[in-house]
Amino acid sequence: MTIILDGKNTANKIIEELKNKTAELTKKPKLAVILAGNNPASCIYVNNKQKKAHYIGFESVVIPLPEDVTEENILEHIFILNEDTNINAILIQLPLPKGINTQKILEAIDPVKDVDGFTSFNFGRLALGYEPYVYPCTPKGIIRLLDEYNITLAGQNVLVIGRSNIVGKPVSFMLQQRNATVTMANSYTKNLKEPALNSDIIISAAGKAGFITSEFIREGAVIVDVGINRTQNGITGDIDFISAAPKASYITPVPGGIGPMTIAMLMENTYQLFEIQRKFLI
Ligand code: GUN
């Protein structure tokens, strides 16, 4: 029997816990989001993040900037947010408009306000196996969901498809920290079926709709779909759910899997940064 990894329900539980904890605070955590340009998907994501922040009782502000914004202008906004003691968490929505140096922008964030864990301070600590201030939201959401269903990571063969800084790389470090045996694949990987059929867990963040079909899946494997692909049939993941699900022991749906977990982790990270900063002031 296949069990659906219900990210929506798990995320809702986390959100409700945060809401209860936030109700007891006099001063509320505050998230700032920089949204540069008008990428339609980014606008939807940022809107969802802001709605969730307000539902929990956080304060939040979105700073919309035009598509032709300069690097200097984005950096000025980041410096102001870094200095503002009312702001606890800063998120730069990615991708940034063409011509903007993403590395330069992300590195300008004060690591203690880096809610995505994307600065080299936090990411470097993660890679070294030290504690960052916070862990990147999507990888953290993946591991939290697997933990929620008591899925073992230690000693398991895990295939991660995609080597992005947002998902593939950080999740591979987090899995190794949990004693998983991690194989990384990317679009150049030859004969993907071979590592796929040897995997207990497959995490796909390839960004290709329906790319992983049943032939890539070992009977009883755990399948985590991080893909959010906009197709003519609406939003679909990387996994061909209909063919893959019967072979899997556990599988995430799209939507309702990793997407809501990512937002819940962003909210949890905002709360954690607020608490860390509060301790600095004591
Ligand atoms: N764009 C797609 N995923 C993410 C994410 O996790 N964080 C940010 N800041 N932008 C994204």
Side-chain angles (χ1 to χ4, degrees), residues 45 49 91-95 116 118 137-138 166 262:
Y45 294 149
K49 288 168 187 176
L91 182 143
I92 314 291
Q93 185 64 35
L94 302 175
D116 269 317
F118 289 165
C137 304
T138 303
I166 296 179
T262 296

Side-chain angles (χ1 to χ4, degrees), residues 238-254:
D238 292 347
I239 314 286
D240 176 27
F241 190 90
I242 302 289
S243 81
K247 270 190 155 174
S249 55
Y250 296 86
I251 188 166
T252 61
V254 176

